[in-house]
Amino acid sequence: MSVQSPINASFEVDLLILNGTIVSPSDLIHAPASDIAIKDGKILCVGALQGLFTAKRVIDAKGGYVTPGGIDSHVHLSQQNSIGAVGDKFESGTRSAIAGGTTTVICFAFQAKTDESVLPVVEEYHKKAASFSYCDYAFHMILTNPTRSIVEQELPILVEQGITSVKLYMTYDALKLGDRQILDVMIAARALGMTTMVHAENADMIALITEQLYEQGKTDPYYHAISRPKISEDEATYRAISMAELIDAPILLVHISSAVAAKHIKDAQTKLLPIHAETCPQYLYLLSEKLHGENFEGAKHVCSPPLRDSMADLDALWDGIANGTFTILSSDHAPFVFDSPMGKKLGLKDGVSRFTAIPNGLPGIETRMPLLYKGVQAGRISIQKFVEVACANPARLYGLSNKGSIAPGYDADVVIWYKDNDTDFKPFALTNEMLHHNIDYTPFEDMEFGNWPKYTIIRGNVVWARDEGGILGKKTDGKFIRRVKAGLRQPRNKFVNEWIPQYRGRVPSNYE
Ligand code: DUC
Ligand code: ZN
Ligand code: ZN
């Protein structure tokens, strides 16, 4: 980017943010050195800037934290297999995102088993998102049928198109892959510099327990959690790590819910394997007791992996964020309307519950950043760690090269928070009516919040101003972001180059 010399009092910038405390994964920059000048959608410079520029608009951040815009890298919107009719589409989902401080979402494009090519699938998702997105967006590809031609010929095309990650399932009959298929995708993804995301639960264990529960008539929503015990996540997580170790392939274990799975991940990282992991706010705050409830209300909390039953898991996951086990915190916004025969109530027919028919997933795109911020206020994590897992790491892991950092040349995606004890902010108990998604409930109803994004800024435009009208952005503001190759923990096992011929001389340059 070419930058004109900014030290000139008549030089006009688009936006100046003054007096905040800028947060990076390592540092806090305090006033007066923390002013941010924004021009043409980019951060022009950071420093003691008062009096150095004129500006079209000035925002006084008043001692509040100024963080990079949130990057939610696990979001299901307009997803053809499940969410189309009764969940959020791009418009409502991204509207909700910006109100909660998220400026970029990475959503899933979904390959059905019958799709012989994934290229039309990508086109279809582009159509769903273009002109319907309040924030910037990118795509991962869910592969449910990785044929030879898709793996060999189409994955390289996806990389060229800026789609540099795939998600694989080890469970669900309609989605799951066998171990050999997973290995083949990992090999190809590694050679291409893609990240392989894995949903790790043991499908056969779940099928066995489900069968037994149904025979006993135990079909209420609560039994969904019983049918997916921690050992099924434990085993599958270890298996996925073992496969990644064999191939020396970078993987990310999505939506980890239990201490035991987190332990496998930590152990693998200690061995310097290229293993990343994600957890989500629901696994930090909610227990499976939420699945009980009158009038089928427990279905509102059905997700996979399920909520766990002990505080020890919640505590271990917070610790896992603090100690670096979790690379990222995402929402896994997989929203379904509760009160609809095509939504959560698919699992209730003629007054009879069937937990296997309840769509799996929770809404949470808007609450992700504020819920993580609660962890800062509670002393669970530092504000620097907040920025690392919610903003910076998702950008680095998934190749969003201009995002996730407040530094010259980066996209001016910024969130301004209220300062502690700000008289402009009153702590509140959340109700679903406060949110901007298109879902009739929030799993976090009644939870107390002590902060919330005051402003959300995308490429220099204020799109959310909590005290000045709320949503100010438009559904045409969001841009598709072509991602580059993944770039955090790197493969390092030279032995693999000996036995997988396609690796020789083809290790992508960003792995060196
Ligand atoms: N996996 C997800 O990633 N989201 C919702 C449900 C699921 O199984
Ligand atoms: Zn999943
Ligand atoms: Zn998901």
Side-chain angles (χ1 to χ4, degrees), residues 73-74 195-198 233 237 241 250-258 261-266 268-269 273-280 317 320-321 324-330 389 393-394 397-398 488-489:
S73 56
H74 188 146
T195 300
T196 302
M197 307 160 79
V198 183
E233 186 181 43
T237 300
I241 290 170
I251 64 167
L252 175 116
L253 290 145
V254 289
H255 47 50
I256 291 297
S257 69
S258 62
K263 171 81 167 64
H264 288 312
I265 292 158
K266 190 76 199 156
Q269 291 168 344
L273 301 178
I275 306 297
H276 305 284
E278 162 198 275
T279 191
C280 316
L317 297 183
I321 294 179
T325 306
F326 293 107
T327 318
I328 56 176
L329 180 107
S330 310
V389 297
N393 274 357
L397 173 69
Y398 289 121
L488 270 179
R489 200 178 301 260

Side-chain angles (χ1 to χ4, degrees), residues 17-31 34-36 59-70 101 369-370 372-379 381-387 391 406 413-422 450-457:
I17 301 172
L18 306 178
N19 303 319
T21 299
I22 298 175
V23 190
S24 76
S26 58
D27 293 308
L28 297 179
I29 306 174
H30 297 281
S34 60
D35 301 328
I36 303 169
I59 295 179
D60 184 356
K62 279 179 62 183
Y65 287 130
V66 180
T67 65
M369 298 274 280
L372 189 63
Y373 197 100
K374 263 173 84 70
V376 176
Q377 293 175 314
I381 56 167
S382 66
I383 187 70
Q384 292 93 330
K385 182 57 82 172
F386 169 98
V387 164
C391 319
I406 296 180
D413 298 346
V414 176
V415 175
I416 302 174
W417 298 80
Y418 294 88
K419 73 171 185 205
D420 285 344
N421 305 315
D422 195 327
N451 210 325
W452 198 271
K454 183 173 184 182
Y455 294 102
T456 305
I457 296 164

Side-chain angles (χ1 to χ4, degrees), residues 225 278 440 446:
E278 162 198 275
D440 55 357
D446 290 334

